[in-house]
Amino acid sequence: MAWPVYVISLQRASQRRAECSRALDSLGMPFAFFDAIDGTCLGEAAVTAAYDSQRNARNYKRPLSLPEIGCYLSHHALWTRIVEQNLEGAVILEDDFEADATFRQVLDQIQSAPPAGALIKLFSRKPVMGVTVASLGDERRLVAPNRVPGLTLGYALDRTAAEMLLANALPFSRPLDMDIKHWWEFGLPVLVVDPPPLRVGALGARSCIGPSRIAAAAQANAGAMSRFMANLRYQLDYNLQLFHARADNRRAVRRLREQLTGHG
């Protein structure tokens, strides 16, 4: 059975929903909207239960904004649905994507032999540097990236991957895409489709999360030098952790290659 496709979107985002519907209908792809959790409407207790502000101060470069918290919880709710409804997997999209004409074909290829216990990103801003794990045909490949690209514009995952995310996600202290970049904390390898079938659409420039992120950073660190030092500390710590995760990455690549291609 084909994995369901979910589009995370605020219920009031009528223009974004119309664009998503046009894009996916033109490809003949069944999908369902998932009403995003609006972080600005969350009560203090709900925020405190999901978001660890003290760990955030140690592990990240700025506090999270309420829209970022709502975004993370929206994805978390879909991982929960995958597990509770015993789905084989799902494709999760955010509502500012644009898809090329091969998008459905790429998903069909992934689902024909899905990597077990891996998250497959369908978007990257830049060409992906890393190890090729499998070919998807038409000059596309699944890559284990040297550095996982940011944004959670679109990805596919099986039930095992959803379980791995749920086991360690709450409470969180970083934005979702930054947590996924720290894949070793979940024991969850990340693959990227290269070249990607998705790109950020025109409506992505008008996201409410971007301005809220800037405002949160400005509020936490009054001066430009403070923001620079917080970012530098975070980047150095991330690179050190990434270096130490090399062995885990090699093991994951071997496992996935054997699973997908039948040889190491």
Side-chain angles (χ1 to χ4, degrees):
M1 184 179 69
W3 292 0
V5 177
Y6 297 110
V7 180
I8 297 174
S9 180
L10 290 169
Q11 198 168 21
R12 63 178 179 271
S14 56
Q15 184 180 3
R16 287 171 175 258
R17 291 191 170 207
E19 292 291 337
C20 293
S21 295
R22 277 194 288 271
L24 296 176
D25 287 346
S26 70
L27 296 171
M29 292 179 58
F31 73 97
F33 284 112
F34 179 83
D35 292 340
I37 296 170
D38 186 344
T40 63
C41 296
L42 291 173
E44 182 178 351
V47 171
T48 301
Y51 168 57
D52 187 337
S53 59
Q54 293 184 345
R55 190 153 56 97
N56 166 272
R58 297 191 303 270
N59 294 347
Y60 198 51
K61 52 192 174 183
R62 57 167 178 78
L64 300 197
S65 67
L66 289 174
E68 287 179 302
I69 293 170
C71 176
Y72 202 126
L73 289 175
S74 299
H75 286 264
H76 189 277
L78 279 175
W79 306 336
T80 302
R81 177 179 294 188
I82 292 169
V83 174
E84 290 184 347
Q85 295 186 4
N86 202 32
L87 302 176
E88 293 181 6
V91 178
I92 298 176
L93 307 174
E94 295 180 344
D95 65 0
D96 52 351
F97 74 89
E98 287 184 358
D100 69 22
T102 68
F103 183 43
R104 182 169 187 171
Q105 178 185 356
V106 169
L107 293 182
D108 287 345
Q109 290 172 320
I110 290 171
Q111 292 176 61
S112 67
L119 184 146
I120 306 167
K121 300 199 77 168
L122 303 166
F123 168 77
S124 176
R125 291 190 186 276
K126 300 176 181 179
V128 182
M129 305 297 293
V131 178
T132 298
V133 173
S135 172
L136 292 176
D138 296 329
E139 300 183 354
R140 274 201 168 94
R141 59 192 184 126
L142 278 179
V143 181
N146 296 336
R147 301 173 72 92
V148 173
L151 298 187
T152 49
L153 185 71
Y155 58 93
L157 74 169
D158 70 344
R159 185 170 59 251
T160 299
E163 290 170 343
M164 295 166 76
L165 287 165
L166 288 171
N168 293 290
L170 295 182
F172 52 82
S173 61
R174 294 182 290 248
L176 174 57
D177 61 336
M178 296 297 105
D179 259 4
I180 290 175
K181 286 172 72 74
H182 291 76
W183 55 267
W184 51 89
E185 295 179 1
F186 299 90
L188 178 66
V190 177
L191 303 177
V192 184
V193 177
D194 182 58
L198 296 182
R199 57 187 175 273
V200 177
L203 293 175
R206 298 202 292 271
S207 168
C208 66
I209 290 181
S212 74
R213 183 184 299 129
I214 295 170
Q219 182 177 4
N221 303 298
M225 180 56 68
S226 295
R227 292 194 295 272
F228 172 81
M229 292 304 297
N231 184 62
L232 179 62
R233 175 181 58 82
Y234 171 75
Q235 294 297 336
L236 289 173
D237 183 63
Y238 173 76
N239 287 324
L240 180 61
Q241 292 184 57
L242 183 64
F243 177 80
H244 287 301
R246 291 177 304 162
D248 290 338
N249 188 55
R250 287 193 294 268
R251 283 191 292 268
V253 167
R254 283 197 299 269
R255 174 180 69 82
L256 292 167
R257 272 183 166 169
E258 290 169 0
Q259 178 196 340
L260 295 172
T261 67
H263 56 80

